[in-house]
Amino acid sequence: MQENILVVDDEKPIADLVEVYLQNEGYKVFKFYTAKQAISCLEQENLSLAILDVMLPDMDGFALCQKIREKHLFPIIMLTAKVEDMDKITGLTLGADDYITKPFNPLELTARVKTQLRRYTRYNLAGQDPHYEKDEIIIRGLSISKTSHKCTLNGQELCLTPLEFSILWYLCEHKGEVVSSENLFESVWGEKYLDSNNTVMAHIARLREKMHEPARKPKYVKTVWGVGYTIE
């Protein structure tokens, strides 16, 4: 089945270039130059992934990302001309799965799209395939199922993105162990970890927010300063 990708960037040459590369890989591209047009598309099309520029004329990409996350779990990749870590963290905290800084290599963007779609596809098929490995972990009111890819906390279902689910599953699977940021990133993202990478921290913050965990004294996902994260 052909996968549909939303591309939103007000810089026409960049949007056109991304469209060409994605179409060459067999994806159907819905390309827009404003957030308003993209929101209209969201209501009409079944999308598989979104690529959002941070700087848009009518709404910044962070706000658009947040609006998408109100109803959709498909992967979101942010495009930003800024290099400050805080801008990257902002996007990840609001629900983005990845970011890439302009100027970028279109082949790298295409590779990241494929990586995100593979993860998302595994997430969706997990609950539909009767032969999928059955597995469930329960920790003090937290229940996470690899079979259905659902997670509940004290009976309330958590609306997790595929990436957030993978992070929580990995930590639960290694309950009682301290998992380093490097280990977590390379196991979940499947990429080489860099010392300046704040991606893990941003996603942990987002995960805690969805679990209604206080940042200073979390009950489940705890920080071991200078080492990593653990679920006891």
Side-chain angles (χ1 to χ4, degrees):
M1 183 177 68
Q2 190 175 42
E3 291 165 310
N4 301 328
I5 298 181
L6 174 67
V7 175
V8 191
D9 195 318
D10 65 334
E11 294 186 70
K12 190 176 185 298
I14 293 179
D16 292 347
L17 181 65
V18 171
E19 179 183 36
V20 168
Y21 272 81
L22 292 176
Q23 287 179 338
N24 286 342
E25 293 294 332
Y27 300 119
K28 184 174 182 179
V29 178
F30 294 86
K31 179 184 63 178
F32 303 101
Y33 307 120
T34 67
K36 183 178 179 180
Q37 294 171 319
I39 291 171
S40 177
C41 177
L42 284 166
E43 297 170 352
Q44 301 174 32
E45 302 294 341
N46 183 21
L47 300 171
S48 307
L49 182 143
I51 300 173
L52 313 177
D53 184 29
V54 170
M55 304 299 290
L56 296 172
D58 54 342
M59 176 190 294
D60 69 56
F62 296 142
L64 179 56
C65 173
Q66 199 167 18
K67 188 168 185 62
I68 291 174
R69 279 291 172 254
E70 291 175 1
K71 296 182 179 179
H72 305 281
L73 293 175
F74 56 73
I76 297 174
I77 299 175
M78 305 295 297
L79 299 180
T80 175
K82 300 179 179 180
V83 296
E84 291 86 353
D85 281 344
M86 189 51 63
D87 291 306
K88 299 172 183 177
I89 292 172
T90 298
L92 295 171
T93 302
L94 292 175
D97 297 278
D98 200 359
Y99 60 83
I100 189 165
T101 304
K102 297 178 180 179
F104 56 84
N105 184 330
L107 292 175
E108 180 186 356
L109 177 61
T110 303
R112 294 196 183 198
V113 166
K114 290 179 179 179
T115 297
Q116 292 296 335
L117 286 173
R118 279 197 301 269
R119 181 180 292 119
Y120 186 57
T121 300
R122 288 200 302 269
Y123 175 89
N124 282 331
L125 292 179
Q128 302 172 17
D129 185 355
H131 301 294
Y132 193 84
E133 179 186 0
K134 295 184 178 181
D135 222 340
E136 183 178 13
I137 300 174
I138 300 175
I139 302 173
R140 304 190 317 278
L142 174 67
S143 175
I144 183 167
S145 170
K146 204 170 184 180
T147 305
S148 62
H149 266 248
K150 287 185 178 180
C151 179
T152 60
L153 181 59
N154 298 321
Q156 297 294 316
E157 185 171 346
L158 301 179
C159 187
L160 303 181
T161 66
L163 199 51
E164 291 163 353
F165 182 94
S166 297
I167 292 169
L168 187 56
W169 174 264
Y170 192 82
L171 290 173
C172 288
E173 195 175 32
H174 294 81
K175 177 178 177 289
E177 302 175 24
V178 179
V179 179
S180 68
S181 295
E182 178 180 1
N183 188 348
L184 187 58
F185 184 85
E186 293 185 355
S187 297
V188 173
W189 276 262
E191 299 176 14
K192 186 66 178 174
Y193 179 83
L194 301 176
D195 290 339
S196 60
N197 195 326
N198 290 306
T199 304
V200 172
M201 181 181 67
H203 279 85
I204 290 291
R206 176 75 174 173
L207 188 56
R208 283 175 175 157
E209 180 183 339
K210 290 189 175 183
M211 296 173 71
H212 305 291
E213 288 260 80
R216 297 197 174 186
K217 290 186 177 180
K219 181 180 177 183
Y220 293 96
V221 182
K222 298 182 179 181
T223 300
V224 179
W225 295 109
V227 184
Y229 303 93
T230 185
I231 289 183
E232 298 176 344

